């Protein structure tokens, strides 16, 4: 119980993240579109920041600091190159067959910097949850605790990923990004590389995911 009853305990912040998430996603349909984005960004950033400031989150387990950059860059650069190649192939495959849909009101007119900032905030929250679960499972002991903590975090994040995205194609793309980010974090424990990969894949595939591929007759 000590892991849930203190500001310094990861379990406390995990429960707070769950309860706050229920409030945020419950309020989203009731507020205007611009406020929805602000509400999500506040949830993704302020809660992890509060945990870090009050000692309930570990910057090392979140992949923010104390990073083995030599190993991270060696493995991460390979992931980034493969991710860029796959994203380019997907765009080429989709491009000729995609019939553009009406622009999403949440995305139209948003600058490149804003998109990168948005996925950075989302990835920051993903890293926060990974860190909390890793610390909790490591305290319980057991072989492969850190490994299973990352996949448990991905499983818990999946419903939120689907609720945030407004269409099925975007949900599929974002789910793929979540899996890729989890694998990259597993090997590098580097938030900054995961953010880069997340932004790369979303910038290349997010717009294409606004429309379903349609076969030409």
């Amino acid at each position: 119980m000590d892991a849930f009853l203190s500001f310094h305990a990861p379990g406390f912040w995990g429960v707070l993240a769950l309860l706050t998430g229920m409030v945020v996603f419950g309020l989203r349909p009731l507020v205007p579109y611009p406020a929805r984005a602000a509400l999500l960004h506040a949830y993704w950033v302020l809660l992890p920041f509060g945990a870090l400031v009050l000692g309930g989150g570990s910057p090392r387990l979140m992949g923010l600091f104390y990073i083995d950059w030599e190993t991270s860059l060696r493995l991460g650069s390979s992931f980034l190159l493969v991710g860029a190649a796959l994203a380019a192939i997907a765009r080429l495959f989709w491009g000729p067959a995609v019939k553009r849909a009406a622009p999403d009101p949440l995305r139209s007119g948003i600058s490149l910097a804003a998109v990168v900032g948005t996925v950075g905030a989302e990835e920051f929250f993903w890293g926060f949850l990974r860190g909390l679960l890793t610390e909790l499972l490591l305290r319980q002991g057991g072989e492969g605790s850190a490994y299973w903590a990352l996949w448990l975090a991905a499983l818990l994040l999946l419903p939120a990923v689907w609720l945030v995205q407004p269409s099925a194609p975007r949900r599929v793309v974002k789910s793929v990004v979540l899996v890729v980010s989890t694998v990259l974090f597993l090997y590098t424990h580097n938030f900054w590389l995961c953010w880069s990969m997340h932004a790369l894949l979303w910038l290349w595939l997010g717009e294409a995911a606004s429309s379903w591929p349609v076969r030409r007759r």
Side-chain angles (χ1 to χ4, degrees):
M1 291 298 295
D2 292 340
F4 294 88
L5 299 178
S6 166
F7 282 119
H8 304 289
F12 172 86
W13 290 98
V15 172
L16 186 60
L18 175 63
L19 296 177
T20 307
M22 292 171 65
V23 172
V24 168
F25 286 104
L27 288 176
R28 280 186 81 240
L30 307 177
V31 299
Y33 280 115
R36 292 184 189 184
L39 191 65
L40 272 178
H41 292 169
Y43 175 57
W44 286 339
V45 174
L46 295 182
L47 197 67
F49 182 76
L52 287 171
V53 169
L54 295 174
S58 166
R60 179 180 63 84
L61 295 179
M62 288 175 63
L64 298 171
F65 301 113
Y66 312 109
I67 298 166
D68 182 352
W69 279 102
E70 181 180 355
T71 301
S72 291
L73 290 177
R74 186 172 64 249
L75 294 173
S77 59
S78 300
F79 271 88
L80 287 171
L81 287 173
V82 171
L86 292 176
I89 291 170
R91 279 298 293 257
L92 289 172
F93 175 77
W94 271 347
V98 168
K99 182 185 292 183
R100 302 303 296 176
D104 175 15
L106 283 173
R107 308 289 290 182
S108 57
I110 296 179
S111 67
L112 174 66
V115 174
V116 173
T118 295
V119 299
E122 189 174 21
E123 188 69 45
F124 186 55
F125 185 81
W126 292 2
F128 163 66
L129 190 60
R130 289 165 182 158
L132 292 183
L133 291 175
T134 298
E135 187 170 352
L136 276 173
L137 292 188
L138 286 175
R139 288 187 180 189
Q140 303 302 317
E143 188 176 352
S145 296
Y147 172 85
W148 291 113
L150 298 185
W151 290 111
L152 178 58
L155 185 63
L156 293 175
L157 287 165
L158 191 59
V161 164
W162 279 60
L163 286 172
V164 169
Q165 298 307 317
S167 64
R170 281 191 173 182
R171 290 168 185 160
V172 172
V173 172
K174 185 63 80 167
S175 299
V176 170
V177 172
L178 175 60
V179 171
V180 172
S181 175
T182 301
V183 174
L184 181 58
F185 192 87
L186 175 65
Y187 283 100
T188 66
H189 284 81
N190 188 324
F191 159 79
W192 309 103
L193 284 178
C194 290
W195 181 6
S196 301
M197 176 67 80
H198 191 155
L200 172 71
L201 293 177
W202 193 245
L203 286 168
W204 272 83
L205 301 178
E207 285 302 313
S210 298
S211 306
W212 284 102
V214 178
R215 292 185 179 273
R216 296 182 182 274
R217 293 184 181 273

